[in-house]
Amino acid sequence: VTTNIPRKAITAASTGKILRLTEQQFLQQIQETNNAYNVPDELRITSPMTSDDVPGLEGTFPSEDEWCGGLIDDTSCTISPYQEPEAKMKVGYIAVFVIVGLVVFGVIALWIHRKMLKRQEKRYKEHFVRGIAKHINVTPTSGQIMSAEM
């Protein structure tokens, strides 16, 4: 699609005017367009259309009966074979199952967390005691040893 209208004019709010036409004016413009483009009489569509058949193409379009259960079996006229089955379990049972599952998971996670904290506390105590034990001298000093033992 090409146009000779500048881009700013296209995006502006005042790019075009909408004129209200009466039905007679609209039908007259259709006839004028058909005449301007030399549309053959057998291809012209009478406006307003009073039936579903286009002149020259009678019987080519399916009727309402053919659409709904006849030749075509339109889905808007029939019940879909892909229906959602009824739920086998009620919503309350699902909610209870989820809540109980979360509680059990939380209790197990809390138990594991506390067990890990106790192990960590034991490791810290052992590390602290070993650090102190490295710097304590258990052997008697020279002032505590008897002169005979020396």
Side-chain angles (χ1 to χ4, degrees):
V1 176
T2 59
T3 181
N4 58 1
I5 301 173
R7 185 179 181 101
K8 286 186 177 182
I10 292 173
T11 58
S14 62
T15 57
K17 293 182 179 178
I18 298 176
L19 300 175
R20 184 178 299 268
L21 298 175
T22 63
E23 182 179 356
Q24 191 59 35
Q25 290 172 331
F26 178 73
L27 295 175
Q28 182 182 355
Q29 285 186 358
I30 290 176
Q31 288 297 337
E32 289 173 5
T33 304
N34 283 337
N35 292 335
Y37 287 99
N38 296 322
V39 177
D41 288 337
E42 62 271 3
L43 295 179
R44 290 185 184 200
I45 298 175
T46 56
S47 297
M49 293 180 70
T50 55
S51 72
D52 292 335
D53 289 330
V54 177
L57 300 174
E58 290 86 0
T60 57
F61 300 112
S63 67
E64 190 70 26
D65 294 332
E66 291 171 333
W67 273 111
C68 294
L71 300 173
I72 297 172
D73 200 19
D74 187 19
T75 57
S76 64
C77 302
T78 59
I79 297 173
S80 173
Y82 305 105
Q83 295 294 323
E84 184 74 26
E86 291 295 322
K88 295 179 182 177
M89 189 180 270
K90 294 189 179 183
V91 178
Y93 294 125
I94 295 172
V96 168
F97 180 75
V98 169
I99 291 171
V100 167
L102 288 174
V103 168
V104 168
F105 176 76
V107 168
I108 292 172
L110 180 65
W111 177 74
I112 291 172
H113 178 68
R114 288 194 179 194
K115 188 174 180 180
M116 290 174 66
L117 281 179
K118 286 182 182 179
R119 285 182 182 173
Q120 184 180 18
E121 183 181 348
K122 185 179 177 184
R123 279 195 318 267
Y124 284 174
K125 282 182 182 179
E126 288 176 2
H127 183 70
F128 179 71
V129 169
R130 284 187 191 132
I132 292 176
K134 281 183 184 178
H135 302 292
I136 293 179
N137 191 359
V138 187
T139 59
T141 60
S142 59
Q144 293 176 335
I145 300 176
M146 302 290 231
S147 57
E149 291 178 5
M150 287 176 124

